[in-house]
Amino acid sequence: MREFTFAIDYEEGVDPVMDVFLEHSTLTAHSLDAVVDEHAFWRMEHVTGPETALDRLENIRFDDSCCGEAITEQRCAAERHHDVVERSTNELVLYSYLADIRRCESIHTLAGKHLPDGLIFETQRHEETCWWRVLMRSDEKIGIFYDELGARLHNGLSFRMGHLRDASEWRREQMAGVSLPEEQETALRTAVSAGYYDPPRETTLDELAVELGIPRSTLSYRLRQAESTLTHHYVNREETTRWLE
């Protein structure tokens, strides 16, 4: 199996979905997509971030008047089906199926038009960038796909080439995203709001513990656990940029 990687950067106001990521730097989405043919594809998307951002993203996905797929000026016309598989205050798992796609030039439709059947996509969205990894049986027509992709991007989108090579691994950790237990998230948000992580520090663990009504040792443990989870996730997320190497 072969893999082709690239990234597309979005300017503000170009794409309604990416605008949410541009406005919320802690919002991250991982997806696994599969093209049925050039007229249909499905996506399972795992998003983590603040509740207000998840609400907005969910509303956009369910709004048929918004198109978050096209890479040209032509908005995609299609039958859209969405289902929320899982939802919490900081996590959203969303299933999407687009069928009978017409007058659309997206990554999925261009790939379905030129590349062999059985395509699988891994994506990650964060801030202004959407990274793509395309897994395919053959790269026979990858040059045509590459040329069309680079030539058809509308204003406000820019393309960054990654690599074309044999697929060597399956990035399970990239699909996992990150979420914190409620008590850890509450402790972390309270600490951030109170300025615990600001230089100079504006509060102490003792003061935070009193505010939350828990022992200082419990608060310290919850913060350490949350920090460990987020640090490991950040390092793993940075590995995504290696898709372009």
Side-chain angles (χ1 to χ4, degrees):
M1 177 167 274
R2 301 284 281 171
E3 69 176 32
F4 177 52
T5 66
F6 58 91
I8 296 180
D9 296 325
Y10 292 75
E11 294 180 6
E12 185 177 358
V14 175
D15 181 274
V17 171
M18 292 304 296
D19 278 349
V20 184
F21 290 87
L22 280 162
E23 294 173 18
H24 298 272
S25 62
T26 59
L27 188 67
T28 301
H30 300 81
S31 80
L32 181 67
D33 312 6
V35 169
V36 179
D37 55 37
E38 64 178 293
H39 303 293
F41 76 89
W42 61 259
R43 173 194 295 118
M44 188 68 78
E45 187 172 31
H46 181 204
V47 193
T48 57
E51 185 174 13
T52 54
L54 297 182
D55 289 340
R56 185 176 167 195
L57 187 61
E58 184 178 335
N59 289 335
I60 290 173
R61 287 299 194 198
F62 277 85
D63 184 355
D64 286 344
S65 68
C66 293
C67 178
E69 312 300 336
I71 58 170
T72 69
E73 300 289 349
Q74 177 65 55
R75 177 186 176 277
C76 293
E79 294 181 8
R80 293 176 169 84
H81 307 273
H82 303 285
D83 284 296
V84 174
V85 179
E86 185 177 342
R87 179 63 203 267
S88 66
T89 56
N90 64 348
E91 190 171 16
L92 169 67
V93 179
L94 182 65
Y95 168 80
S96 299
Y97 176 65
L98 271 66
D100 192 24
I101 300 173
R102 307 172 302 279
R103 302 187 311 278
C104 178
E105 290 179 328
S106 68
I107 304 296
H108 300 95
T109 58
L110 290 177
K113 177 181 177 181
H114 298 297
L115 301 180
D117 295 339
L119 296 169
I120 296 177
F121 302 83
E122 293 179 63
T123 75
Q124 177 172 306
R125 298 176 189 259
H126 179 67
E127 295 185 336
E128 77 278 4
T129 304
C130 183
W131 289 272
W132 290 80
R133 183 188 188 211
V134 185
L135 299 172
M136 53 200 163
R137 294 184 292 113
S138 167
D139 60 13
E140 181 181 354
K141 296 184 178 179
I142 194 67
I144 300 175
F145 171 67
Y146 170 81
D147 290 341
E148 280 211 62
L149 182 59
R152 296 181 181 275
L153 292 181
H154 63 69
N155 293 335
L157 275 65
S158 57
F159 177 86
R160 284 188 281 154
M161 176 67 176
H163 61 249
L164 175 64
R165 65 190 182 199
D166 288 338
S168 59
E169 61 179 324
W170 180 251
R171 297 179 174 88
R172 291 180 294 273
E173 73 281 356
Q174 294 295 344
M175 298 303 298
V178 64
S179 60
L180 298 174
E182 183 177 357
E183 65 274 10
Q184 292 180 22
E185 182 178 359
T186 299
L188 191 62
R189 288 184 179 276
T190 302
V192 171
S193 297
Y196 179 74
Y197 291 102
D198 294 340
R201 184 166 288 175
E202 298 178 7
T203 189
T204 66
L205 277 178
D206 291 309
E207 291 170 336
L208 289 173
V210 171
E211 180 179 347
L212 290 169
I214 59 177
R216 182 184 189 279
S217 59
T218 300
L219 173 59
S220 177
Y221 175 78
R222 290 178 181 177
L223 288 178
R224 288 200 308 272
Q225 291 295 101
E227 290 162 3
S228 175
T229 298
L230 294 175
T231 300
H232 283 88
H233 175 70
Y234 176 81
V235 172
N236 287 336
R237 190 184 69 193
E238 291 302 301
E239 292 293 317
T240 304
T241 60
R242 296 186 181 180
W243 290 10
L244 303 182
E245 295 179 353

